[in-house]
Amino acid sequence: MQKPTILYASPFNPMQSGISDYSEVLVKALQEKYDITLLVRGYRLSNQQLTESCKVLDYDRDTIPYHSFDYIIYNIGNQPAYHDYIYQCCLEHPGLIILHDFSLYFLFVGVHGYKGDFMGAIYELEGAKGIHRIKDTVRKEHHGLLECKNLPSVMPLNHEILQSGNKIMVHSEYTYHKIMETGYVKEENVRKINHIALVDNTTDYMSKEELFALYNIPNDAIILASFGFISNTKLNHVVCKVISKLASQLEQKVCYVMVGEGTYVDEYVDDKVIFKTGYTELIEFNSFIKYSDIIINLRHPSMGETSGALIRILGLGKVCMISDEGWFAEIPDECAIKVRMNGIDQTLEDKITELIQYPEKRMEYEKNAKNYISSEYSGEIIVHQIADFLDS
């Protein structure tokens, strides 16, 4: 029996995005039930297994027969370079959007900035008040639109997507309720379906000795780590200060490794206590999770995003300290340690010290985290739920 067909639009590796990793895992799971064609723009996939099992169309090079597919799935994230063509496609050919961020401020700025109609688009969506807010913020902060960090939370700029006639799939109750509060989408056209687990028994790892030698990280230290792009919304500067202080107080040697790119906390990096890897291949990324003792994954303010890194971390059964807001707040209390912004420095210091001194506390979180991901985020469950939503 012939499988139903899906046109699946998303970044894929080598595009450096958590959504690339997510889509490679999800497509593999969906192939059990669907015949899938991938829609990309301007590059060749690095995953040979996908290129051999899926037809790949290039948005700029190929004629896209949108209406010949039974279903279309679009992945919408906040990175214009990866999602601008997908944004345009989903407005013209509605299907199912997997919405990875509630606020699409950066994507909207990129798309309409490139088209040269940004202020006109803002006026259409936000009126004169929106124009004034943007101009006033740029004037006060002396930054360009993409550097004004407070605007994404107050101007999510997701109107076009929510009013486009697409079904909307999200990964959190937080984003689901934020969408319903807008009044733009009918309840039956929005569904919360969990992220998919990103690691399994086939995941490859480097040896600890080989990995740590690459970055001159000591093998005898307690390793605290953060994963993903290094930015002020991840609060890496707070963690750097706390761990630098603890390193001078504790008898046990401690190191903080930031696994990812970003320059805003480079002043703290000394390659003795504070380390930064830059971009890593997936095998290194997963290996750093495996060999870390305590992981810190904070977000403030939340853009309604789901963290693929945290899904990997919990799936590998690692103890993690997370922000108590947005999607992160929905993780069960017994699976991760939640931290609020009020008094965060002292809270981090106290919790890290406790976890170092009492390793048995880490073990309970680790067991609960791994069980939670395997039971709630399995590929079989997620594919069944997506199929039900596509057919509804």
Side-chain angles (χ1 to χ4, degrees):
M1 182 176 177
Q2 190 171 3
K3 295 178 181 179
T5 57
I6 290 178
L7 178 65
Y8 188 98
S10 173
F12 293 91
N13 289 304
M15 300 296 101
Q16 296 174 10
S17 166
I19 297 174
S20 297
D21 298 333
Y22 166 85
S23 283
E24 292 193 3
V25 175
L26 181 58
V27 166
K28 182 179 179 182
L30 287 169
Q31 284 180 307
E32 295 294 322
K33 188 176 180 63
Y34 299 98
D35 181 7
I36 299 178
T37 298
L38 309 180
L39 179 59
V40 301
R41 186 181 194 180
Y43 63 93
R44 290 187 177 183
L45 278 69
S46 56
N47 186 326
Q48 187 174 352
Q49 183 180 7
L50 278 184
T51 59
E52 291 174 352
S53 61
C54 299
K55 183 178 180 180
V56 181
L57 297 176
D58 188 291
Y59 177 79
D60 288 332
R61 188 188 65 225
D62 299 316
T63 299
I64 315 300
Y66 296 96
H67 299 294
S68 70
F69 295 94
D70 296 309
Y71 309 102
I72 306 177
I73 294 178
Y74 301 106
N75 284 266
I76 294 290
N78 226 342
Q79 203 164 6
Y82 295 168
H83 297 275
D84 56 352
Y85 76 99
I86 302 175
Y87 189 100
Q88 191 62 41
C89 288
C90 75
L91 297 182
E92 297 173 356
H93 307 281
L96 167 62
I97 289 174
I98 302 177
L99 187 64
H100 293 270
D101 301 87
F102 174 74
S103 175
L104 298 178
Y105 173 88
F106 297 107
L107 179 60
F108 187 92
V109 169
V111 168
H112 287 284
Y114 178 78
K115 290 167 65 175
D117 66 348
F118 176 73
M119 284 302 182
I122 288 292
Y123 183 79
E124 185 175 339
L125 296 179
E126 302 279 346
K129 183 178 179 181
I131 297 288
H132 175 75
R133 172 178 274 171
I134 286 176
K135 288 185 174 180
D136 188 54
T137 300
V138 170
R139 178 179 57 82
K140 287 179 178 177
E141 296 190 12
H142 304 290
H143 290 311
L145 289 169
L146 295 177
E147 287 74 45
C148 292
K149 300 301 182 183
N150 69 315
L151 283 176
S153 59
V154 296
M155 296 184 72
L157 301 182
N158 52 23
H159 305 54
E160 288 184 323
I161 291 296
L162 298 185
Q163 295 176 301
S164 63
N166 285 274
K167 292 181 177 180
I168 308 289
M169 171 182 150
V170 299
H171 295 314
S172 70
E173 294 292 343
Y174 171 88
T175 302
Y176 174 84
H177 291 298
K178 293 281 283 185
I179 289 174
M180 294 313 302
E181 287 170 5
T182 68
Y184 294 141
V185 189
K186 294 180 180 179
E187 185 175 2
E188 61 266 26
N189 288 332
V190 186
R191 191 168 298 185
K192 184 256 181 178
I193 297 173
N194 281 339
H195 201 288
I196 193 168
L198 296 174
V199 293
D200 56 27
N201 294 331
T202 67
T203 302
D204 293 325
Y205 305 99
M206 299 172 64
S207 72
K208 180 178 179 180
E209 291 73 20
E210 180 185 5
L211 178 67
F212 282 24
L214 284 174
Y215 299 95
N216 296 313
I217 298 169
N219 278 290
D220 60 343
I222 291 288
I223 303 299
L224 300 102
S226 296
F227 293 83
F229 191 77
I230 302 165
S231 71
N232 60 345
T233 61
K234 305 283 187 70
L235 306 180
N236 298 87
H237 61 289
V238 176
V239 183
C240 286
K241 288 189 288 186
V242 168
I243 294 177
S244 294
K245 179 181 177 182
L246 286 174
S248 67
Q249 296 175 342
L250 296 172
E251 292 183 9
Q252 172 69 55
K253 183 187 294 184
V254 296
C255 295
Y256 176 46
V257 183
M258 294 175 283
V259 184
E261 295 180 295
T263 60
Y264 100 100
V265 291
D266 279 1
E267 63 190 278
Y268 293 98
V269 177
D270 59 8
D271 292 324
K272 295 179 180 178
V273 173
I274 309 295
F275 296 79
K276 184 183 80 170
T277 66
Y279 175 77
T280 63
E281 296 297 332
L282 191 55
I283 188 171
E284 290 186 14
F285 192 92
N286 287 332
S287 298
F288 267 117
I289 295 175
K290 181 179 177 66
Y291 302 128
S292 296
D293 298 292
I294 301 167
I295 297 175
I296 304 171
N297 193 330
L298 305 175
R299 298 289 175 93
H300 179 80
S302 171
M303 298 292 112
E305 73 276 42
T306 305
S307 169
L310 183 56
I311 299 296
R312 290 184 185 277
I313 290 161
L314 299 179
L316 282 170
K318 307 301 293 189
V319 63
C320 190
M321 303 175 69
I322 62 176
S323 301
D324 193 15
E325 59 181 89
W327 168 77
F328 295 82
E330 298 171 25
I331 301 297
D333 292 348
E334 64 271 18
C335 297
I337 299 167
K338 296 178 182 175
V339 179
R340 295 185 178 181
M341 283 300 297
N342 186 29
I344 187 171
D345 297 65
Q346 189 61 53
T347 301
L348 286 175
E349 185 177 334
D350 293 343
K351 293 292 186 182
I352 290 169
T353 301
E354 181 182 31
L355 291 171
I356 290 174
Q357 293 178 343
Y358 301 100
E360 65 274 11
K361 290 184 179 293
R362 303 203 301 260
M363 294 174 63
E364 191 64 27
Y365 282 108
E366 290 168 353
K367 181 182 72 173
N368 293 338
K370 192 168 187 176
N371 289 340
Y372 170 65
I373 295 299
S374 64
S375 64
E376 300 294 329
Y377 290 73
S378 77
E380 184 178 355
I381 291 172
I382 303 309
V383 168
H384 175 77
Q385 292 175 342
I386 291 175
D388 182 66
F389 192 28
L390 286 170
D391 289 333
S392 65

